[in-house]
Amino acid sequence: GQQLNQSPQSMFIQEGEDVSMNCTSSSIFNTWLWYKQDPGEGPVLLIALYKAGELTSNGRLTAQFGITRKDSFLNISASIPSDVGIYFCAGQLLQWGNTGKLIFGQGTTLQVKP
Amino acid sequence: NAGVMQNPRHLVRRRGQEARLRCSPMKGHSHVYWYRQLPEEGLKFMVYLQKENIIDESGMPKERFSAEFPKEGPSILRIQQVVRGDSAAYFCASSLTAGGGTDTQYFGPGTRLTVL
């Protein structure tokens, strides 16, 4: 089945630093999503990407949909303490025979030191 | 504009008991997905339902697990004769359509199931 490899697994950074994480897949997707999950809560959508090569920003967050459709990255600029949490990438393949289920990466745990 | 609601938020069961998890999708959404998250892992797809129909259950264990989404009321994920390995967080997500374009899945807060 489809698998997503997300890296790094965890990051411990200083407040104000930039962060980068990425996901790679063994097969293509036509949608990439980035979610953030706080402890005890469900994932919250941060950015959605729908076209290969697309670069999208949401405040201090920037994400790109790789040209090969097999990868995506998320950057967070000037990190702040509330950025702490677990970040997940998710891929979706919408075509005949696929019902829109999301395939998730293993998550990147981000800790920010004030 | 209420989001996806799940209850209970926490559920404790003893081995062999039944667990019922409920999910009310966002208003107007008729597509529901269930995912399971084991500790320290990402979410894994279980089942996708539309009103009164199971569309994709390729991620559901073959035994003890069932799901429904009746015409009226919430979607239910039911686990019979729970075992310790069923302990996990179970998330429900809903979407307006089956996906495509700018439609995305919105997640509920999850139900944390603990099997003693």
Side-chain angles (χ1 to χ4, degrees):
Chain A
Q2 292 172 306
Q3 291 188 349
L4 289 187
N5 291 313
Q6 186 173 347
S7 64
Q9 190 174 357
S10 62
M11 302 181 75
F12 190 88
I13 62 170
Q14 198 77 29
E15 182 178 0
E17 289 183 350
D18 296 344
V19 171
S20 184
M21 58 192 79
N22 68 84
C23 272
T24 59
S25 170
S26 56
S27 52
I28 63 172
F29 291 110
N30 50 27
T31 299
W32 280 95
L33 304 166
W34 284 91
Y35 288 88
K36 182 185 178 213
Q37 185 179 28
D38 291 326
E41 299 296 330
V44 174
L45 182 66
L46 298 174
I47 291 182
L49 302 155
Y50 301 103
K51 285 170 53 177
E54 180 181 356
L55 183 71
T56 296
S57 293
N58 178 9
R60 293 179 296 107
L61 279 59
T62 301
Q64 183 157 32
F65 191 144
I67 291 290
T68 65
R69 296 170 63 189
K70 291 184 178 182
D71 63 305
S72 177
F73 72 74
L74 174 71
N75 287 342
I76 305 173
S77 62
S79 57
I80 58 178
S82 62
D83 290 333
V84 165
I86 305 176
Y87 292 79
F88 289 100
C89 61
Q92 186 180 46
L93 183 63
L94 292 165
Q95 66 180 33
W96 182 254
N98 276 288
T99 53
K101 64 189 177 190
L102 297 179
I103 309 297
F104 279 83
Q106 305 96 320
T108 296
T109 300
L110 178 63
Q111 297 183 50
V112 179
K113 185 177 180 182
Chain B
N1 188 16
V4 178
M5 298 175 68
Q6 290 187 249
N7 68 83
R9 293 291 304 270
H10 299 274
L11 182 62
V12 179
R13 285 286 178 266
R14 296 191 179 280
R15 281 180 296 169
Q17 291 184 320
E18 178 180 287
R20 279 186 178 238
L21 288 61
R22 296 174 189 78
C23 168
S24 296
M26 285 180 70
K27 187 176 181 180
H29 287 193
S30 59
H31 299 257
V32 166
Y33 298 78
W34 285 94
Y35 295 83
R36 176 165 62 178
Q37 184 179 33
L38 296 172
E40 311 294 326
E41 293 188 10
L43 284 73
K44 297 281 196 305
F45 168 78
M46 299 180 74
V47 62
Y48 161 47
L49 311 100
Q50 293 179 34
K51 281 289 187 181
E52 300 184 272
N53 291 302
I54 297 174
I55 307 301
D56 180 357
E57 55 182 349
S58 59
M60 286 277 268
K62 298 297 180 202
E63 298 177 348
R64 301 186 299 106
F65 284 72
S66 62
E68 63 178 18
F69 190 13
K71 187 176 180 181
E72 302 291 338
S75 175
I76 306 284
L77 180 67
R78 182 182 177 205
I79 312 172
Q80 295 178 289
Q81 300 176 319
V82 295
V83 300
R84 290 225 172 100
D86 297 333
S87 295
Y90 292 83
F91 292 96
C92 162
S94 74
S95 63
L96 188 60
T97 67
T102 57
D103 189 30
T104 51
Q105 294 176 28
Y106 295 90
F107 283 81
T111 294
R112 270 96 190 143
L113 173 65
T114 302
V115 179
L116 301 177

